[in-house]
């Protein structure tokens, strides 16, 4: 299908053969689906959280910390080009997220907005003072991973009134040109009453961006992660 789309992209008048539904159904049966249509429906009607797993058998989850993460968040980053001089202008990307606890399984799920109306869904786990997030997209093939360490958090959460307002993550994924990407991301707790569920790209001097975020992301080189 991808090869056919590439061919059409190069020449809209090209003659394209139809995808072989029997072959597609054979492939998805290996993944546990009855046929290709069942596979398509399962990825458009609901988030398939069961495909995602972060499990450390010999460690106990830090559910007290996970409970502190429940709620609405904004994630800020600068998705910079490989060559910083190629950046068209200085902008900061803000994604919207919600972390919640499943009433049925007790797991902690996350849903996140993406550019061009993409949506991500994932699971959140915490062990000791580390937070891990793994996310898939229901609209295109990309998986993202996040890791954060919150120093002294186990002492802080002993106070039932303590609240988390900001987290720093390293996130990784594979870009559309199949290059690995590593980003510094800042999560800030958002007020549910004024929460905007979409992703937005703002100029770096926008009044919509908190000054503390600008201060942390304005240095291009300091926020570039050398994944090599």
């Amino acid at each position: 299908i991808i090869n056919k789309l590439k061919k059409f992209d190069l020449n809209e008048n090209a003659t394209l053969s139809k995808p072989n539904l029997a072959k597609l159904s054979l492939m998805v049966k290996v993944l546990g689906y009855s046929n290709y249509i069942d596979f398509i429906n399962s990825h458009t009607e609901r988030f398939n959280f069961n495909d995602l797993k972060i499990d450390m058998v010999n460690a106990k989850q830090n559910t007290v910390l996970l409970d502190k993460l429940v709620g609405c968040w904004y994630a800020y980053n600068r998705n910079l080009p490989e060559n910083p001089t190629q950046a068209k202008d200085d902008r900061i990307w803000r994604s919207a997220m919600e972390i919640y606890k499943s009433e049925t399984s007790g797991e902690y799920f996350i849903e996140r907005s993406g550019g061009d109306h993409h949506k991500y869904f994932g699971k959140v786990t915490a062990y000791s003072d580390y937070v891990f997030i793994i996310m898939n997209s229901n609209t295109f093939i990309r998986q993202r991973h996040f890791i954060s360490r919150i120093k002294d958090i186990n002492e802080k959460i002993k106070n039932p009134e303590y609240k988390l307002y900001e987290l720093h993550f390293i996130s990784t994924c594979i870009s559309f040109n199949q290059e690995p990407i590593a980003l510094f991301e800042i999560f800030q707790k958002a007020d549910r009453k004024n929460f905007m569920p979409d992703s937005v790209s703002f100029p770096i001097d926008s009044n919509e961006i908190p000054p503390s975020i600008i201060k942390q992301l304005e240095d291009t080189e300091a926020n570039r992660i050398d994944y090599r």
Side-chain angles (χ1 to χ4, degrees), residues 144-177:
R144 301 192 63 176
H145 307 84
F146 299 75
I147 183 170
S148 176
R149 185 187 184 194
I150 314 170
K151 292 183 179 180
D152 303 320
I153 189 62
N154 290 316
E155 286 299 317
K156 293 175 181 176
I157 58 178
K158 289 178 181 178
N159 177 4
E161 301 300 319
Y162 176 77
K163 294 183 180 180
L164 271 169
Y165 290 102
E166 183 171 300
L167 296 169
H168 291 178
F169 280 87
I170 300 299
S171 73
T172 60
C173 68
I174 300 298
S175 68
F176 291 113
N177 62 3

Side-chain angles (χ1 to χ4, degrees), residues 120-139:
Y120 290 94
F121 61 98
K123 287 183 178 179
V124 186
T125 54
Y127 297 95
S128 185
D129 53 358
Y130 285 90
V131 179
F132 301 92
I133 301 174
I134 182 171
M135 286 193 285
N136 277 344
S137 172
N138 68 331
T139 47

